[in-house]
């Protein structure tokens, strides 16, 4: 069985400050990792993904995450946040076992950016 | 771009009603999923399907059933709606990669 732990339910931060949203996972097999973002009253949008290769992955809007196998972590970072980054962020893991790629989600971290 | 469309954004139903939530994807994805989202609990998997007419229970299948008669369509059925099924329901599809989500259906059972 796989599981995901997002250590912070809420993260308040001032605009232009750096931020890190923490994610740890557990799985007995090789994993694939994702971060999703959800704006109010919308579905989830894929922010970035780790499938294989470089352990540092980046999104088009300045977020990055690093896969750390030894620490079983996939923390999300941004060096300078904007008001428009205010949203809920979900970390997810998939093990691709069997015929279906089932995603398991964390409980989410609400990022609140203020002036 | 992948498009996953859920038939309703908002629904209000009465206790005991049979409720159908419909989801359609346009990318020929093998896998489709129904999740339920509640504050503080994140997303919990109700059912998923990896092929037409194939389904598997997720973490919280009680009170729900699903139907997948065509590859592009995955329906969630609440056999007899109850107030504790008031929630946001999210459909997703995938194939050998990340899942893509619909906009969600906010269901209120009164």
């Amino acid at each position: 069985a796989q599981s995901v732990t997002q250590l912070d339910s809420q993260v308040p931060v001032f605009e232009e400050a750096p931020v890190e949203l923490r994610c740890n996972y557990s799985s007995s097999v090789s994993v694939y990792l994702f971060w999703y973002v959800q704006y109010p009253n919308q579905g989830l949008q894929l922010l970035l993904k780790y499938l294989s290769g470089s352990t540092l992955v980046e999104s088009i809007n300045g977020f990055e995450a690093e896969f750390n196998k030894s620490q079983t972590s996939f923390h999300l970072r941004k060096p300078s946040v904007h008001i428009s980054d205010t949203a809920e962020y979900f970390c997810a893991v998939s093990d691709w076992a069997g015929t279906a790629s089932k995603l398991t989600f964390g409980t989410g971290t609400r990022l609140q950016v203020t002036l | 771009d992948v498009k996953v469309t859920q038939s309703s954004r908002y629904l209000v139903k009465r206790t005991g009603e049979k409720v159908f939530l419909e989801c359609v994807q346009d990318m020929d994805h093998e896998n489709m999923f129904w999740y339920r989202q509640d504050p503080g609990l994140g997303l919990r998997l109700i059912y998923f399907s990896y092929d037409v007419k194939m389904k598997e229970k997720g973490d919280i299948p009680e009170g729900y059933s699903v139907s997948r008669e065509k590859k592009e369509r995955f329906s969630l059925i609440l056999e007899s709606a109850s107030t504790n099924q008031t929630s946001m329901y999210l459909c997703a599809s995938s194939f050998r990669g990340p899942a893509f989500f619909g906009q969600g259906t906010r269901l209120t059972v009164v």
Side-chain angles (χ1 to χ4, degrees):
Chain A
Q2 55 197 20
S3 66
V4 177
T5 302
Q6 290 184 246
L7 297 165
D8 305 298
S9 59
Q10 293 189 65
V11 174
V13 64
F14 290 112
E15 193 175 36
E16 297 184 2
V19 70
E20 178 180 81
L21 307 183
R22 296 179 292 170
C23 172
N24 288 90
Y25 69 91
S26 67
S27 176
S28 57
V29 298
S30 297
V31 295
Y32 301 87
L33 295 155
F34 310 91
W35 276 99
Y36 286 84
V37 58
Q38 185 180 36
Y39 298 102
N41 297 316
Q42 293 188 25
L44 274 68
Q45 301 173 32
L46 180 67
L47 187 60
L48 46 77
K49 61 187 177 188
Y50 169 77
L51 301 180
S52 64
S54 172
T55 57
L56 183 65
V57 290
E58 299 177 356
S59 72
I60 58 173
N61 58 355
F63 283 96
E64 64 178 30
E66 186 161 17
F67 171 53
N68 188 319
K69 189 175 182 179
S70 62
Q71 297 189 8
T72 60
S73 68
F74 191 55
H75 301 331
L76 182 68
R77 302 184 184 96
K78 189 170 185 180
S80 176
V81 295
H82 189 268
I83 288 283
S84 60
D85 294 324
T86 295
E88 188 145 24
Y89 293 80
F90 291 92
C91 181
V93 62
S94 173
D95 60 10
W96 306 113
T99 54
S101 50
K102 190 172 65 170
L103 278 173
T104 299
F105 285 84
T107 52
T109 298
R110 184 168 299 279
L111 176 63
Q112 181 69 50
V113 182
T114 54
L115 295 171
Chain B
D1 283 351
V2 176
K3 189 165 185 181
V4 180
T5 304
Q6 295 183 228
S7 54
S8 304
R9 291 293 305 275
Y10 301 93
L11 274 179
V12 180
K13 296 292 181 181
R14 294 194 180 278
T15 301
E17 276 193 76
K18 190 169 187 176
V19 181
F20 293 85
L21 303 184
E22 307 285 347
C23 176
V24 177
Q25 51 98 357
D26 66 356
M27 283 300 292
D28 202 36
H29 281 171
E30 304 291 331
N31 306 316
M32 295 190 75
F33 308 85
W34 275 106
Y35 287 89
R36 158 174 186 162
Q37 182 181 13
D38 299 289
L41 298 177
L43 278 75
R44 294 178 292 167
L45 182 64
I46 305 172
Y47 268 97
F48 66 101
S49 168
Y50 52 89
D51 201 352
V52 175
K53 297 190 185 294
M54 305 300 288
K55 61 185 179 184
E56 287 195 24
K57 293 179 180 179
D59 301 317
I60 52 164
E62 296 79 18
Y64 304 94
S65 62
V66 290
S67 172
R68 193 163 180 204
E69 296 296 320
K70 294 184 178 181
K71 193 173 186 180
E72 68 270 18
R73 187 180 296 271
F74 192 36
S75 302
L76 179 69
I77 303 155
L78 285 66
E79 298 291 343
S80 178
S82 63
T83 54
N84 63 11
Q85 293 179 309
T86 291
S87 186
M88 171 73 91
Y89 291 87
L90 293 165
C91 174
S93 73
S94 75
F95 179 66
R96 297 184 184 279
F100 294 90
F101 284 80
Q103 290 290 84
T105 297
R106 187 166 293 281
L107 173 67
T108 302
V109 182
V110 298

